[in-house]
Amino acid sequence: MHEANGKACPKFAIFASGRGSNATVLMDSFISGFNLGEVCVLVSNHADAPVLERAKERGIATVCIPHKGMPREEHDAAMFVALQEHGAEHLLLAGYMRILGSKFIQEFPGHILNIHPSLLPDFRGLRAIERQWEERVKVAGATVHEVIADVDAGTTLLQGSIEVRGDEGPEGLADRILNEVEHKIYPQAVWLLTRRMDQPSS
């Protein structure tokens, strides 16, 4: 940890695979001082991911480790080495479209958070928004949760919801969940996590 105002501050790595709107919101939450700590590196598995440029524009180190052609354990090991090199203590998955291996999760010493576009435990896994639309739910939303080996099953930190209008279509609903819920609750969930870590253990 680095020091800020005499207190040790956590170092975070953000994982993202694409345009990185959630990742950008998270980076800005640290830069603005809303969240305590430092984003020490942004990690992507796609060399052409726009989020890499967004991180560079903010002076944040980037690492790209493509997963194609690499066995999962080898890819996870390469990421682990990169995280150690940058001193990352906690991970924030923000549109990282690859499941972390159970060995990696078990061996990583800090917290790993993810955001999922549903009100867990409902609609775990893939196509969460499309499935919600198909089932005509009245309320949709997103969940920030801790990552464990069982997909989308870790402890919930924070949830947010919206009423489904019924005329959005799945793509419109996805945009509403992203902009009206995810962008708000993910920085707030990290805030809650850092405050929890700052509390003395009993």
Side-chain angles (χ1 to χ4, degrees):
M1 291 189 180
H2 68 286
E3 298 288 328
N5 298 323
K7 290 187 177 181
C9 294
K11 298 180 74 172
F12 290 85
I14 297 177
F15 279 41
S17 295
R19 60 181 179 173
S21 64
N22 268 322
T24 301
V25 168
L26 288 172
M27 287 187 283
D28 288 346
S29 77
F30 286 97
I31 292 169
S32 69
F34 175 81
N35 270 318
L36 177 70
E38 172 192 352
V39 179
C40 59
V41 65
L42 183 134
V43 179
S44 184
N45 58 329
H46 292 293
D48 60 351
V51 69
L52 292 168
E53 189 60 34
R54 292 187 176 190
K56 292 174 184 175
E57 291 170 353
R58 288 162 173 77
I60 294 172
T62 62
V63 172
C64 180
I65 307 175
H67 65 274
K68 287 188 177 180
M70 291 181 70
R72 181 178 297 279
E73 288 193 2
E74 185 178 334
H75 186 256
D76 285 353
M79 290 195 302
F80 195 84
V81 170
L83 294 171
Q84 288 183 315
E85 289 175 350
H86 288 275
E89 299 165 309
H90 310 283
L91 309 185
L92 305 175
L93 309 186
Y96 188 65
M97 306 308 292
R98 182 171 169 82
I99 295 174
L100 298 176
S102 59
K103 184 178 179 182
F104 177 93
I105 294 170
Q106 292 167 3
E107 290 187 354
F108 193 81
H111 297 81
I112 306 177
L113 302 187
N114 182 48
I115 190 160
H116 181 75
S118 78
L119 296 171
L120 294 174
D122 295 336
F123 302 101
R124 290 169 53 187
L126 299 174
R127 297 184 61 253
I129 294 173
E130 291 89 339
R131 287 155 50 211
Q132 290 173 83
W133 181 258
E134 290 165 1
E135 294 197 20
R136 300 180 182 233
V137 299
K138 300 298 183 184
V139 177
T143 304
V144 180
H145 63 94
E146 293 195 42
V147 174
I148 61 175
D150 195 6
V151 176
D152 298 331
T155 301
T156 292
L157 268 74
L158 194 64
Q159 291 184 316
S161 63
I162 54 172
E163 292 185 6
V164 180
R165 294 196 309 263
D167 61 353
E168 304 99 326
E171 290 186 1
L173 181 59
D175 285 340
R176 288 192 63 207
I177 291 173
L178 179 66
N179 292 295
E180 298 177 34
V181 182
E182 294 185 31
H183 288 176
K184 293 180 180 178
I185 68 169
Y186 211 166
Q188 292 172 354
V190 176
W191 187 92
L192 291 172
L193 175 67
T194 56
R195 294 314 182 273
R196 182 186 303 173
M197 292 189 296
D198 199 37
Q199 296 297 316
S201 56
S202 56

